[in-house]
């Protein structure tokens, strides 16, 4: 790997907490907002009109959030949101 790519990869590992999850600060404010809504049980079809965006945009945010956090399911997103204090159990 080139030095620049190595720095990026190592930087990602340094940002992770003890559970291996990146901090919530890796998400944009909009992504944090959408994560909170998804984790509280809202569907993309409910989130989109509430935020004035399309369902497709919500789905893109969901995909980006999952990628940034390294999770695969909505249940994992919900556990992460609870652990980070974005929602309460």
């Amino acid at each position: 790997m080139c030095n620049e790519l190595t720095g990026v990869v190592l930087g990602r590992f340094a940002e992770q907490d003890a559970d291996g999850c990146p901090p919530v600060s890796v998400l944009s404010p909009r992504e944090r907002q959408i994560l909170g809504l998804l984790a509280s049980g809202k569907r993309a079809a409910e989130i989109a009109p509430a935020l004035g965006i399309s369902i497709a945009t919500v789905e893109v945010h969901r995909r980006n959030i999952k990628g940034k956090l390294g999770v695969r399911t909505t249940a994992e997103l919900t556990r992460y949101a609870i652990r980070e204090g974005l929602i309460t159990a």
Side-chain angles (χ1 to χ4, degrees):
M1 285 193 283
C2 69
N3 289 338
E4 185 176 317
L5 183 56
T6 301
V8 170
V9 171
L10 292 176
R12 286 286 182 158
F13 285 117
E15 292 175 346
Q16 295 179 347
D17 65 14
D19 293 333
C21 292
V24 74
S25 62
V26 301
L27 302 177
S28 71
R30 180 63 107 182
E31 289 170 337
R32 284 192 294 273
Q33 181 183 32
I34 290 175
L35 172 57
L37 292 167
L38 289 168
S40 67
K42 302 284 187 214
R43 296 177 299 116
E46 297 170 302
I47 295 168
L51 299 181
I53 58 178
S54 72
I55 294 171
T57 301
V58 174
E59 293 300 337
V60 168
H61 282 302
R62 181 198 312 254
R63 186 173 56 244
N64 291 341
I65 293 165
K66 285 180 176 180
K68 286 181 178 182
L69 299 180
V71 300
R72 287 181 260 151
T73 67
T74 301
E76 289 175 307
L77 284 177
T78 302
R79 281 193 298 272
Y80 180 88
I82 291 169
R83 188 174 60 242
E84 294 297 319
L86 298 174
I87 62 168
T88 57

